[in-house]
């Protein structure tokens, strides 16, 4: 006789038909049931516009006419998802009516949005900068397949800008990574007053953009240096005496 209630177990959290997880942009999740009849299967039910879930099912024979089933999956919250994501693990198949067949998952989603110069939760950033400097962009707790790109839109020629991009990646030891990209720049064009940057996080395996933050850089007016103002009459006299 199955326990009451009897329902899918998400991430080992038993006796919960509504599971709340503090999520990240991507990760792994497991749904399981023990002691079920043959031909009982587990599946995820979710909006394809909010989250993707793959699944690797495993079945263990208990040699007593029952089976333990589990569904180990990787998930990714898509950029179109707004706020938290709700989905469920559902049991289907032979005599699934004998138990509560669904467990809801509330994933408190952490956005994949790139963070520019430490400014969180901003899709469009305006910065007043010098004609030479640095802009940094970071994305936290992403997967191994994710990458970060910081670029000027549209690209500028070497006559207009000198630039160097550096990147780093740190392992969080939990299947996720923190990545950072920095742009060191020096604007050469005297007429340039405004430049647009994009910091974009994307999946390298599919070359799919996951999220983007736009940055507007406003440059100060180009100042012509006046070398003659640094000379004094006394200095001119000293130079003439030395030359004689």
């Amino acid at each position: 006789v199955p326990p009451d209630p009897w329902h899918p177990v998400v991430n080992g959290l038993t006796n919960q038909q509504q599971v709340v997880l503090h999520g990240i942009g991507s990760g792994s999740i497991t749904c399981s049931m023990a002691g079920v009849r043959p031909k009982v299967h587990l599946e995820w039910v979710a909006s394809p516009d909010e989250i993707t879930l793959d699944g690797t099912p495993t079945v263990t024979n208990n040699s007593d006419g029952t089976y333990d089933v589990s569904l180990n999956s990787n998930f990714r919250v898509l950029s179109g998802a707004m706020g938290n994501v709700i989905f469920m693990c559902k049991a289907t198949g032979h005599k699934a009516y004998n138990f509560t067949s669904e467990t809801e998952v509330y994933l408190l989603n952490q956005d994949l949005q790139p963070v520019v110069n430490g400014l969180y939760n901003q899709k469009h950033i305006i910065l007043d900068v010098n004609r030479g400097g640095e802009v940094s962009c970071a994305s936290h707790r992403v997967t191994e397949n994710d990458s970060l790109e910081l670029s000027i839109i549209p690209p500028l020629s070497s006559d207009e800008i000198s630039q160097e991009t550096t990147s780093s990646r740190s392992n969080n030891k939990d299947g996720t990574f923190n990545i950072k990209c920095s742009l060191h720049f020096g604007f050469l064009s005297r007429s340039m007053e405004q430049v647009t940057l994009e910091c974009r996080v994307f999946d390298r395996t599919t070359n799919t953009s996951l999220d983007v933050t736009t940055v507007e850089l406003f440059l100060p007016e180009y100042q012509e240096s006046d070398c003659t103002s640094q000379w004094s009459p006394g200095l001119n006299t000293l130079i003439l005496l030395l030359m004689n």
Side-chain angles (χ1 to χ4, degrees), residues 224-231:
E224 191 81 43
S225 61
D226 185 6
C227 296
T228 59
S229 64
Q230 301 175 12
W231 293 85

Side-chain angles (χ1 to χ4, degrees), residues 12-243:
L13 301 171
T14 58
N15 302 318
Q16 298 188 49
Q17 204 171 349
Q18 291 181 334
V19 175
V20 178
L21 301 177
H22 291 275
I24 55 178
S26 57
S28 60
I29 190 170
T30 300
C31 181
S32 62
M33 293 191 75
V36 298
R37 294 295 181 182
K39 299 182 181 180
V40 171
H41 307 285
L42 298 174
E43 63 181 31
W44 298 110
V45 180
S47 169
D49 297 328
E50 295 183 333
I51 190 170
T52 61
L53 288 148
D54 63 16
T56 304
T58 59
V59 179
T60 302
N61 191 338
N62 296 321
S63 302
D64 61 359
T66 66
Y67 295 81
D68 295 342
V69 294
S70 66
L71 183 60
N72 305 307
S73 302
N74 296 315
F75 69 87
R76 175 182 295 284
V77 178
L78 304 179
S79 60
M82 301 298 294
N84 304 332
V85 178
I86 302 174
F87 57 100
M88 67 178 63
C89 182
K90 182 177 182 180
T92 61
H94 184 61
K95 295 186 177 180
Y97 56 82
N98 284 344
F99 42 81
T100 304
S101 61
E102 300 172 354
T103 296
E104 284 189 319
V105 180
Y106 290 78
L107 184 63
L108 306 183
N109 177 33
Q110 175 180 327
D111 200 353
L112 282 173
Q113 180 182 330
V115 178
V116 174
N117 283 15
L119 301 171
Y120 286 81
N121 301 320
Q122 299 191 47
K123 295 287 290 181
H124 191 102
I125 297 173
I126 297 176
L127 298 176
D128 290 315
V129 297
N130 295 322
R131 301 191 75 85
E134 176 185 348
V135 174
S136 63
C137 179
S139 191
H140 304 289
R141 305 188 67 80
V142 299
T143 70
E144 185 177 6
N145 295 326
D146 294 336
S147 187
L148 197 63
E149 185 178 87
L150 182 58
S151 57
I152 296 175
I153 306 298
L156 300 176
S157 69
S158 59
D159 294 333
E160 298 173 299
I161 185 175
S162 63
Q163 58 182 320
E164 179 184 4
T165 303
T166 59
S167 60
S168 62
R169 177 183 294 260
S170 59
N171 193 335
N172 296 318
K173 308 298 184 181
D174 61 358
T176 67
F177 297 81
N178 297 337
I179 50 180
K180 181 180 179 180
C181 186
S182 298
L183 175 67
H184 307 267
F185 60 84
F187 292 101
L188 307 177
S189 173
R190 301 182 181 187
S191 61
M192 192 171 297
E193 298 178 350
Q194 180 181 349
V195 176
T196 301
L197 302 180
E198 282 187 352
C199 185
R200 188 178 298 274
V201 57
F202 61 94
D203 188 332
R204 290 181 294 183
T205 58
T206 61
N207 200 30
T208 302
S209 176
L210 304 175
D211 211 337
V212 62
T213 296
T214 304
V215 186
E216 301 288 344
L217 300 183
F218 285 87
L219 311 178
E221 183 179 351
Y222 185 86
Q223 297 292 331
E224 191 81 43
S225 61
D226 185 6
C227 296
T228 59
S229 64
Q230 301 175 12
W231 293 85
S232 64
L235 186 58
N236 290 336
T237 302
L238 178 60
I239 292 176
L240 290 174
L241 289 174
L242 292 174
M243 291 176 64

